[in-house]
Each structure stands twice: as structure tokens, then as C-alpha cells.
Amino acid sequence: MKKNILVIYYSQTGQLEDIVRNIAKPFETQKEEYDVTYYNIQLNEDFPYPWPGDVFFDTFPESYLQIPKEILPPSEEILNKKYDLILFGYQVWFLTPSIPIISFLKSGYAAQLLKDTPVITISGTRNMWMLSQEKLKVYLRDLKAKLVGNIALVDRHHNYTSVLTIVRWLTKGQKEKSGLLPAAGVSDEEIAGSVKYGDIITKHFKSNDLENLQPDLVKNGAVEIRPFLVRVEKVGNKIFTVWSHLIIKKKEKRPLLIKFFKVYLMTAIWVISPVVLVLHLLTTPIFWFKRQKQKRYLQGINLK
């Protein structure tokens, strides 16, 4: 009897779709054993791409506070099938799973599809996904899903370089290199190479050994942790909490506050972030063992 594999994702630029399809490829090539179904989450009113003007920044408070929008229902064919494994691809917006992903997770459809089912989370991000994954773990736990693996592909360029390329990509739709700037996002080579994670997943799934899947994925480079970026995320979450509540509360001043937030965010990236880096480097000998423990935890799938 065939095993049913469901691939859930939301992808604006197409990058994440390429990633999840490559990871699912080993299942696709064994059609006699697996039936692979793709579910592309769609909103009733989708977000624009490329993002015009300040529209992206205007999504910040709802993104960070995880306020859902209405999604289009999955097909009856998808809803009426029981799945043996789910590959769950997601984007990160403002240190949080994107609004379309949150909208799905807060819908009744998520509870129906994810309950009691092994789930492997897959992200394709600029570089800061760690605490977003922690938020996602909470949703999966509450939905009674079984998180068995995580793959996090990132832009390998320098933090500041990737800021420039991601802004160019989101606002102009240009991923390709231009001038002195390299191509944006996860490299084409790494996306193509992500099929190796599908091979690893297939091996463990066939042998009914999903308990040992994550260590094997980590050993093969599926999850890289940069302690400095974890520190930046922690600081960012504290500051984003203040800004998001302020913008939501002061509805009449929202356009002005969004402009202030945009200026603040750019300042934080280019001015405050280097200060955090220096402090991080100076305290590395003191917190070495603590950071190594944190790294091992974030590479895993358990929830504190």
C-alpha cells in the first residue's frame, strides 16, 4: 500500500517551492511506493510581489503579533486523505513565521491535517530563522503534530550584504547578481543539492527510524547555527514586541509610526548590530559552554 506524503508551503518568489520540491524528489521518483501531494497555501487576498513602497513594512505588526488572514480552503481531496508524513515549508517575516503560514496554522485545516502526523519543517531564509522555529514548534505541539526533523537553508553571504540583496529582491523582483552585489537568497547550488536531504528523509522513513532523522540531517549540514545571529534575534524580538504593540494600539498614527519603524530597523541593522557583534565577541570566552549548549538545542527538534 502506498504511503501518502503531503508537502505544505507558501512561496512568494518561488525559492521555497524549489527547495521543498527538491527535497520531495526522492519520494516523487518512487511512485510505486509513495503518493506525493502538494498544498500551496493561498490567502483570499494575497500579498504583492514585488513589494511596492512601504507595504512590506506595513505588514510588520500583524506579522510579528501573528495576526492571521483568511485563507482559501485546501481541496477536499487533500482534506479527506490521511498522510503518513508532512514536509512543511515556511518563510520568516520579521523574526516570525509569515502571515500566510500563521493563517494556515490558526485555521481548522491545520488541525485536521497535522494532528498525529510526523512533520519535517523546511525553511529558506536570509539568515535569522532560529527563534521563528521556536514559535513554530509551539504551534505544532498545540496541534498535536509530531515534529521529527528540521532543515534550514540560508543565504551564506555576509549579514550586511544579504540585507542589500534581499531588499533588492523583495522590492524589485531581482534575485540575480548586479554590480557588486551577489545573487540574493539561498544559492542555486544549495537548492539543487537539497535533494540529499530528501534521500536522508526517505532512508529513515523507509526504515521507520524517524527518531534518528534529525541528527543525520544536522550531520549533513541541514542546520547551521550562528550564535551571534541568535543574540541579534533575541534583542530583535524584545524591540519588535514594543514596536508592534505601539503601532497596533495607535491606529491613527500608523502610517507615521511605520515610517519611524523602517528608519529604526535600518539604523539597528547598520549601527546597533555591529555593537552587538563586538559585545558578542568580547563575551565569547565567558559564555562559550552556554552557547555550545544553545547551539545543540537549536539544531534539534525538541521544545523547552
Side-chain angles (χ1 to χ4, degrees):
M1 187 174 178
K2 284 187 179 182
K3 298 287 188 179
N4 294 320
I5 313 296
L6 178 62
V7 183
I8 301 174
Y9 67 97
Y10 174 84
S11 181
Q12 277 187 304
T13 65
Q15 173 180 265
L16 187 60
E17 181 175 4
D18 289 341
I19 291 170
V20 296
R21 285 187 178 275
N22 271 283
I23 292 174
K25 194 173 289 184
F27 289 109
E28 289 266 29
T29 57
Q30 301 178 57
K31 296 185 182 297
E32 70 285 351
E33 294 187 52
Y34 304 107
D35 184 11
V36 182
T37 302
Y38 290 88
Y39 167 42
N40 177 18
I41 297 168
Q42 292 180 297
L43 298 173
N44 271 3
E45 296 181 13
D46 206 355
F47 293 96
Y49 173 75
W51 292 86
D54 289 336
V55 175
F56 177 71
F57 292 95
D58 193 54
T59 67
F60 158 68
E62 285 78 14
S63 293
Y64 186 75
L65 295 175
Q66 300 164 48
I67 298 172
K69 296 185 69 170
E70 190 174 349
I71 67 171
L72 296 175
S75 70
E76 288 298 320
E77 181 183 359
I78 289 174
L79 289 174
N80 292 331
K81 190 182 291 185
K82 175 60 181 174
Y83 296 95
D84 299 287
L85 179 68
I86 292 177
L87 305 183
F88 191 91
Y90 75 101
Q91 297 173 311
V92 174
W93 295 0
F94 299 105
L95 308 181
T96 306
S98 69
I99 289 177
I101 292 298
I102 292 297
S103 300
F104 167 72
L105 291 170
K106 289 190 172 184
S107 72
Y109 310 121
Q112 183 174 343
L113 291 169
L114 299 178
K115 184 179 179 182
D116 299 327
T117 306
V119 174
I120 298 169
T121 50
I122 302 167
S123 58
T125 65
R126 187 174 74 86
N127 56 22
M128 284 187 276
W129 58 269
M130 286 77 74
L131 299 189
S132 179
Q133 177 72 5
E134 292 300 292
K135 297 171 186 178
L136 184 55
K137 285 180 185 178
V138 174
Y139 280 100
L140 295 176
R141 179 200 64 194
D142 293 347
L143 290 165
K144 296 181 171 53
K146 301 174 183 177
L147 181 61
V148 297
N150 178 48
I151 299 167
L153 301 187
V154 299
D155 187 329
R156 301 289 181 182
H157 293 103
H158 189 277
N159 187 40
Y160 302 119
T161 300
S162 65
V163 170
L164 296 174
T165 57
I166 197 70
V167 170
R168 180 192 63 190
W169 192 12
L170 291 177
T171 59
K172 297 182 179 179
Q174 181 185 346
K175 181 177 182 178
E176 301 78 15
K177 64 179 295 186
S178 62
L180 298 176
L181 292 178
V186 180
S187 71
D188 292 340
E189 293 77 15
E190 192 157 357
I191 291 174
S194 64
V195 69
K196 71 179 181 181
Y197 302 126
D199 290 328
I200 293 169
I201 294 167
T202 306
K203 179 186 72 174
H204 284 268
F205 186 67
K206 273 188 175 181
S207 61
N208 197 27
D209 184 32
L210 291 176
E211 287 186 3
N212 295 306
L213 170 62
Q214 188 60 18
D216 205 358
L217 289 173
V218 171
K219 185 174 68 176
N220 284 275
V223 183
E224 178 191 19
I225 304 297
R226 305 181 199 179
F228 160 62
L229 293 177
V230 177
R231 178 61 183 164
V232 172
E233 279 198 68
K234 287 184 175 181
V235 173
N237 270 273
K238 290 178 181 178
I239 296 169
F240 279 12
T241 298
V242 175
W243 271 104
S244 59
H245 283 290
L246 177 64
I247 295 170
I248 288 290
K249 184 178 179 181
K250 302 287 186 180
K251 291 185 174 68
E252 72 285 356
K253 296 183 179 178
R254 179 175 179 127
L256 181 61
L257 289 171
I258 290 294
K259 291 183 183 299
F260 283 154
F261 169 72
K262 180 180 178 181
V263 172
Y264 165 78
L265 186 59
M266 292 299 104
T267 303
I269 290 171
W270 295 101
V271 179
I272 300 176
S273 182
V275 175
V276 175
L277 175 58
V278 171
L279 292 174
H280 173 82
L281 293 174
L282 290 175
T283 57
T284 292
I286 301 172
F287 297 110
W288 172 260
F289 292 105
K290 181 179 179 180
R291 288 172 182 167
Q292 290 304 304
K293 182 180 179 181
Q294 178 188 64
K295 177 180 177 179
R296 290 191 295 271
Y297 167 74
L298 291 172
Q299 284 180 323
I301 54 175
N302 295 323
L303 181 64
K304 287 183 179 177

